[in-house]
Amino acid sequence: MGSNQSRSREPQEDGPNSARAEVLTTSADGRVEIKKDDLGPNEQEVFRKFADKVKNVTDQSSAEMIQTLHAEVGQHVDEDAWMGQAYVRIGIVGVSDAGKSTFINSFRGLRAREPGAAAVGTTETTTDTAEYPHPENDHVILVDFPGALFKLKGGSWQSVTFNMKEYTRKFERKMRECNVFLVFTSGRVHDNAVWIAAKAKEIGKKVLFVRSKFDQDVKNKQDDEPACFEGRGGQEEGENRLLQFQRQDYVTKLETMGYGRVAPEDVFIISGKLVNIQRGRWDAPALKEAMLKQLNIQQQMLFISTCQDFSPTMARAKAKIYKSRAWKVALGVAAVGAIPLGGTPINAGVMATTVMLFKGGFGLFETSVQELATLTGKDAAELQRLVDEKMSPINKITQFFRGNTDWQSIKQALVAAGAGGIFAASIAVDAAIDTSVPFVGGLVTAPASFGLAWKALNLVIEQQEACALALYELAFR
């Protein structure tokens, strides 16, 4: 399997429109899949061009072939710069007091009255679309749409009879720019919100319905019917029953009001308060996952690397998305040749930069840990000690790639941390990588450096995910 010669096999499916994923296959570990969904639009095109270019090539060595692949596909290995080409626009719709401003602020890690926060109140504060960029990256934008129509009368804005045709004339262009729409209600479902949601659906946008202020609903239920939270299951089961009742009630009301049938999984019951969004209470993580499904891979990377969320659900989602991009970083490392086992630093900067990008996405920087401590009232030093301990194997890996430690030292450190087996297998001399693109119709063996970098980065992601999960447990227990 470590041979450098090309071998052929019958392609399972041909053509640029094939539904089959572009695949990288490892001899030591099975498969490294590069699915079309893991590629940005430009990357899909250059993959096809690469396939056409090498279709009839038989005289390239594996190192030359991987360099060709890098030149065609992976020349821009900087994921941060690659993400910078994307924008995410989230449309927010709802009448006054629906909780949308509180959510806008919490999604951006802000509290009311902080600089840049959306105004929160019981009266309509949005007379035109208002854009709220995320403080960490202004390419993630929440677009607040008014829930009513206004005209300027006597120097002040006053609501007028709602007319969908007039609303569309004013706001359709902005609506088309959004990737997904969140329609907010609290208590009663308003006609205006339903009409706007129907228009968003008509122009091809995914619409997700959000009932906010569930924390208040729980409190009111406790005051009125405390028995609902007693007995078997206690508080948690009582909250779950109330949540499911509200979800089904929302679906029924939308259908009754003429919107049409809405799938229950498109209705989310949340509290928009900062602590509940960052903790991931009730349907908050499911809402973010539903939003992610409407984005391409560049937008997903931008979204999860920008928006802070400490919930286990989102930590796992981040790990899955980050792993889907590990192939490109490995390609950048492997393009210059195999990495000697002595630890000679080759493209160490690519690996180190990516590790730091993912670390920030998981919320493991010291500033994020401090913010978490403030949010939960926990000791920041205690939280930071946990992160430092859990990140130790990752530090060893980056030191290895920089040439600051030898293989024996890193092996001992990783075994002690319980992570040595996977990485030790990946560094085996004969751990060659087979590269297959379905419309090439052939198989090319790549240098072992690809497998080393790919497995090392996957181990890093797994360790960061475990750290994020442990941090959540300690902070919110």
Side-chain angles (χ1 to χ4, degrees):
M1 199 56 124
S3 170
N4 283 339
Q5 67 182 29
S6 299
R7 291 163 294 170
S8 62
R9 65 178 180 187
E10 291 298 318
Q12 294 184 18
E13 286 190 46
D14 291 326
N17 297 320
S18 167
R20 183 173 177 266
E22 287 86 351
V23 176
L24 298 179
T25 307
T26 73
S27 60
D29 187 54
R31 301 167 71 83
V32 182
E33 291 191 337
I34 304 175
K35 300 178 181 178
K36 289 183 179 178
D37 287 347
D38 297 338
L39 303 172
N42 292 338
E43 289 173 331
Q44 290 188 33
E45 181 60 27
V46 294
F47 246 97
R48 293 188 182 104
K49 289 181 179 179
F50 167 74
D52 290 338
K53 187 171 183 176
V54 302
K55 186 179 296 183
N56 299 314
V57 173
T58 58
D59 59 350
Q60 276 191 327
S61 69
S62 58
E64 289 171 333
M65 185 65 76
I66 209 74
Q67 286 171 351
T68 300
L69 181 59
H70 177 267
E72 297 293 327
V73 181
Q75 56 184 321
H76 304 295
V77 182
D78 186 344
E79 289 291 275
D80 205 8
W82 176 75
M83 286 157 44
Q85 303 169 19
Y87 280 85
V88 175
R89 289 184 173 86
I90 302 163
I92 307 290
V93 176
V95 297
S96 61
D97 202 31
K100 62 178 184 174
S101 295
T102 300
F103 175 82
I104 288 171
N105 293 333
S106 297
F107 184 90
R108 298 157 64 231
L110 300 176
R111 292 178 173 83
R113 295 182 294 279
E114 287 187 334
V120 177
T122 57
T123 59
E124 184 66 56
T125 57
T126 306
T127 59
D128 201 347
T129 56
E131 296 194 351
Y132 296 96
H134 197 286
E136 298 299 322
N137 193 312
D138 61 8
H139 282 209
V140 178
I141 305 165
L142 289 94
V143 185
D144 189 5
F145 287 81
L149 284 170
F150 294 85
K151 287 187 177 179
L152 192 61
K153 295 181 180 180
S156 62
W157 290 98
Q158 298 180 25
S159 62
V160 297
T161 302
F162 190 85
N163 181 289
M164 195 63 231
K165 185 175 180 180
E166 178 66 12
Y167 193 96
T168 299
R169 185 189 67 78
K170 290 187 67 174
F171 302 121
E172 183 175 359
R173 183 182 65 81
K174 281 285 186 182
M175 293 176 75
R176 289 187 179 278
E177 292 177 354
C178 295
N179 301 103
V180 61
F181 271 83
L182 310 185
V183 178
F184 276 75
T185 67
S186 177
R188 190 171 75 85
V189 181
H190 294 267
D191 291 338
N192 292 8
V194 174
W195 291 333
I196 297 168
K199 182 60 184 180
K201 181 181 177 182
E202 178 187 318
I203 62 177
K205 303 299 178 180
K206 180 66 175 180
V207 178
L208 305 174
F209 293 90
V210 183
R211 175 170 171 142
S212 191
K213 302 186 179 182
F214 187 63
D215 54 328
Q216 293 183 17
D217 295 332
V218 171
K219 184 179 184 306
N220 292 339
K221 192 71 169 177
Q222 286 175 322
D223 292 341
D224 296 339
E225 300 180 54
C228 291
F229 302 92
E230 298 171 355
R232 193 168 133 189
Q235 181 72 22
E236 183 177 352
E237 183 59 32
E239 290 179 6
N240 186 58
R241 284 194 298 269
L242 179 60
L243 185 149
Q244 297 304 332
F245 170 82
Q246 288 192 356
R247 192 193 316 282
Q248 189 54 53
D249 181 61
Y250 203 149
V251 169
T252 301
K253 285 179 179 176
L254 287 170
E255 190 168 11
T256 301
M257 295 175 72
Y259 180 83
R261 181 67 180 169
V262 175
E265 55 266 27
D266 287 341
V267 174
F268 302 87
I269 313 299
I270 71 166
S271 164
K273 291 182 179 178
L274 181 63
V275 65
N276 292 323
I277 293 297
Q278 295 202 341
R279 182 174 182 172
R281 296 196 72 186
W282 301 304
D283 282 345
L287 175 60
K288 286 190 175 180
E289 283 193 303
M291 293 161 67
L292 277 170
K293 290 179 181 178
Q294 307 310 310
L295 308 177
N296 65 36
I297 184 62
Q298 272 178 293
Q299 293 168 328
Q300 288 181 354
M301 285 282 290
L302 175 64
F303 184 97
I304 64 170
S305 298
T306 299
C307 303
Q308 195 66 75
D309 187 321
F310 296 101
S311 72
T313 298
M314 288 309 297
R316 296 184 183 102
K318 290 173 184 179
K320 182 179 180 180
I321 293 171
Y322 285 150
K323 283 183 176 182
S324 76
R325 297 299 298 171
W327 67 270
K328 190 174 182 183
V329 180
L331 187 61
V333 173
V336 295
I339 299 175
L341 296 186
T344 302
I346 296 178
N347 269 4
V350 171
M351 181 68 72
T353 300
T354 304
V355 169
M356 293 302 287
L357 171 67
F358 293 174
K359 180 179 179 180
F362 278 112
L364 301 177
F365 283 145
E366 190 171 343
T367 52
S368 298
V369 174
Q370 179 62 58
E371 290 172 4
L372 179 60
T374 301
L375 184 72
T376 60
K378 293 297 176 67
D379 180 20
E382 181 183 8
L383 298 183
Q384 189 60 52
R385 279 195 297 272
L386 180 143
V387 172
D388 292 341
E389 177 184 343
K390 294 287 185 182
M391 292 290 285
S392 178
I394 297 172
N395 295 335
K396 292 292 184 182
I397 292 173
T398 53
Q399 287 173 15
F400 174 75
F401 275 88
R402 288 183 176 130
N404 296 333
T405 187
D406 59 24
W407 164 235
Q408 193 59 36
S409 298
I410 186 177
K411 185 177 179 180
Q412 292 173 354
L414 292 174
V415 170
I422 298 174
F423 196 71
S426 73
I427 205 168
V429 177
D430 63 347
I433 303 301
D434 296 331
T435 305
S436 169
V437 183
F439 26 81
V440 173
L443 199 62
V444 181
T445 305
S449 54
F450 181 95
L452 171 60
W454 176 74
K455 291 190 178 183
L457 191 56
N458 273 275
L459 177 58
V460 164
I461 295 167
E462 289 166 6
Q463 292 290 308
Q464 289 176 334
E465 178 189 7
C467 182
L469 293 172
L471 182 63
Y472 176 90
E473 180 66 23
L474 179 59
F476 288 105
R477 70 185 181 190

